Amino acid sequence: YTVHEVPRAHADDVAAVFPSRVGKPGGLRIVQTCQRARHDLVKMGLEIDEEKDRLLNVFCTWARRLHARLAEKGFWSDFIDPCSGLSMLGRDSQAVYDEVSALSTLRGFKCANAGCCKIVLHPEWGSFVYPATFFTNAPADATDQAIRKLAHDMRQEDN
């Protein structure tokens, strides 16, 4: 994961997705996540669909738990449904967040066309990647601390 201030190039897009956050104190941060997939996600089929579902569930579990931790500290957060590009928690907009463009801008990932879709290419994993995005108004250091603690707790639970 990486934590970023919302760049000017994406400020209007983020404002469209989260209109109730416009003008609120504490700028928003973008938490970009990438999970390494077991299969090339550009391909089609049952195995690929199951992998996408698995990765979605991992992200949503992580995001909901991070949201709860940040909310306990008084911070706002939300995350994007990677399948639709829509906000998962806020329902005040139907604007779609373009995760592929954001990864290209924020992390310099290359993009490619796969049929009618734009895909992101991870520098090491290629198209074996599942990007997903989380937003918060928590400061970067508080966000990073919450993510590290959550990762530690989730590892402990797996043991």
Side-chain angles (χ1 to χ4, degrees):
Y1 75 92
T2 55
V3 180
H4 307 269
E5 297 291 324
V6 175
R8 230 180 229 138
H10 294 277
D12 289 345
D13 296 337
V14 172
V17 175
F18 304 114
S20 64
R21 297 303 311 166
V22 174
K24 299 274 184 183
L28 293 185
R29 254 109 359 250
I30 301 172
V31 180
Q32 297 279 186
T33 70
C34 291
Q35 295 179 75
R36 186 174 189 162
R38 296 175 183 153
H39 305 284
D40 183 349
L41 298 184
V42 172
K43 295 183 179 178
M44 307 278 267
L46 180 60
E47 192 173 63
I48 305 305
D49 291 342
E50 289 172 349
E51 176 68 348
K52 287 178 182 177
D53 288 345
R54 182 186 72 79
L55 295 166
L56 175 63
N57 287 332
V58 168
F59 173 70
C60 286
T61 298
W62 175 86
R64 287 184 199 287
R65 291 182 65 179
L66 181 58
H67 169 76
R69 284 174 187 252
L70 292 170
E72 286 174 3
K73 300 203 180 292
F75 297 114
W76 172 90
S77 63
D78 201 338
F79 52 103
I80 299 298
D81 175 355
C83 301
S84 68
L86 298 173
S87 164
M88 289 289 281
L89 303 176
R91 298 292 177 215
D92 55 346
S93 172
Q94 289 297 304
V96 173
Y97 180 71
D98 184 352
E99 292 185 287
V100 172
S101 293
L103 273 168
S104 178
T105 300
L106 296 169
R107 296 182 67 182
F109 287 10
K110 293 184 178 170
C111 300
N113 287 321
C116 63
C117 299
K118 239 177 25 172
I119 62 161
V120 67
L121 299 172
H122 189 279
E124 295 176 29
W125 311 332
S127 56
F128 285 65
V129 63
Y130 191 84
T133 308
F134 186 92
F135 290 86
T136 184
N137 68 340
D141 59 340
T143 301
D144 188 57
Q145 183 178 29
I147 291 170
R148 288 178 188 272
K149 175 92 172 85
L150 177 57
H152 174 267
D153 292 350
M154 290 176 84
R155 278 192 302 274
Q156 294 296 102
E157 291 166 8
D158 286 342
N159 292 333

